[in-house]
Amino acid sequence: MKVTKLLPFMAIVALLGFTSCSTDSIDDQINAIEVPVAPQAKQIEIEIMELINDYRINEGLSPLNDHSTVKAVAFTHTDYMIEEENVSHDNFFQRKQSLQLNANANIVSENVAYGFSSAASVVNAWLNSPSHKENIEGDYTDFDISAEQNSEGKWYFTNIFIKR
């Protein structure tokens, strides 16, 4: 058989050989999400968590446990907000999925903030906002927070709550 007659056949074989037959589902992609190591807690983060738990106890609610995986996921979002120079809940669904997979979370919510200079000021702002207050008072088991400063020294906050 001549080479010219084999070319179309070889092209099909080559295409089939290079075509992805991936059957990866979204679950497989989620399983590939790596959670970074949580950074060491800063004083402002510890104070925020203490203020939130004190508030919950005063309201007759159970205190929440800190959780290193939650902190690591919160940190990735705080870092993202600083990079984007925008306070947002962008990509929340990905954080939720990561926490469902890596922290056995059934329910996930978050509060974000920017520009507050103390633990008390950011917690008071959240408590004065009905939707943020609802998260603080929610039926959760664990939480953690990431507070990071941008290059101008302004604080960005991501506070994530989960129920396991």
Side-chain angles (χ1 to χ4, degrees), residues 32-89:
I33 296 172
E34 289 187 34
V35 176
V37 175
Q40 188 75 10
K42 296 175 187 65
Q43 186 61 37
I44 194 169
E45 295 166 335
I46 294 166
E47 291 172 12
I48 291 168
M49 292 173 65
E50 288 173 349
L51 288 168
I52 289 172
N53 270 338
D54 289 348
Y55 174 82
R56 287 179 60 88
I57 291 166
N58 287 335
E59 294 297 309
L61 302 168
S62 299
L64 302 174
N65 301 305
D66 61 317
H67 195 289
S68 63
T69 302
V70 173
K71 179 167 186 55
V73 171
F75 172 75
T76 63
H77 185 59
T78 304
D79 192 46
Y80 167 84
M81 291 191 302
I82 290 171
E83 186 176 301
E84 295 294 314
E85 297 179 359
N86 185 40
V87 179
S88 71
H89 294 285

Side-chain angles (χ1 to χ4, degrees), residues 13-157:
V13 170
L15 283 174
L16 291 175
F18 293 116
T19 303
S20 173
C21 295
S22 175
T23 57
D24 290 346
S25 68
I26 190 71
D27 291 335
D28 294 331
Q29 293 171 12
I30 292 168
N31 288 336
I33 296 172
E34 289 187 34
V35 176
V37 175
Q40 188 75 10
K42 296 175 187 65
Q43 186 61 37
I44 194 169
E45 295 166 335
I46 294 166
E47 291 172 12
I48 291 168
M49 292 173 65
E50 288 173 349
L51 288 168
I52 289 172
N53 270 338
D54 289 348
Y55 174 82
R56 287 179 60 88
I57 291 166
N58 287 335
E59 294 297 309
L61 302 168
S62 299
L64 302 174
N65 301 305
D66 61 317
H67 195 289
S68 63
T69 302
V70 173
K71 179 167 186 55
V73 171
F75 172 75
T76 63
H77 185 59
T78 304
D79 192 46
Y80 167 84
M81 291 191 302
I82 290 171
E83 186 176 301
E84 295 294 314
E85 297 179 359
N86 185 40
V87 179
S88 71
H89 294 285
D90 289 356
N91 309 310
F92 174 74
F93 185 70
Q94 291 170 333
R95 288 188 296 288
K96 178 181 176 183
Q97 288 180 320
S98 178
L99 289 167
Q100 288 171 329
L101 177 70
N102 296 298
N104 298 315
N106 294 312
I107 300 171
V108 180
S109 69
E110 74 180 9
N111 289 342
V112 296
Y114 162 77
F116 296 94
S117 59
S118 70
S121 63
V122 71
V123 172
N124 286 334
W126 284 333
L127 291 173
N128 286 316
S129 163
S131 62
H132 294 98
K133 183 177 180 180
E134 185 178 321
N135 287 340
I136 290 172
E137 294 177 345
D139 182 21
Y140 301 106
T141 55
D142 306 273
F143 75 140
D144 223 307
I145 187 154
S146 169
E148 300 294 328
Q149 290 177 296
N150 67 8
S151 59
E152 289 87 40
K154 299 285 186 180
W155 286 99
Y156 284 75
F157 304 90

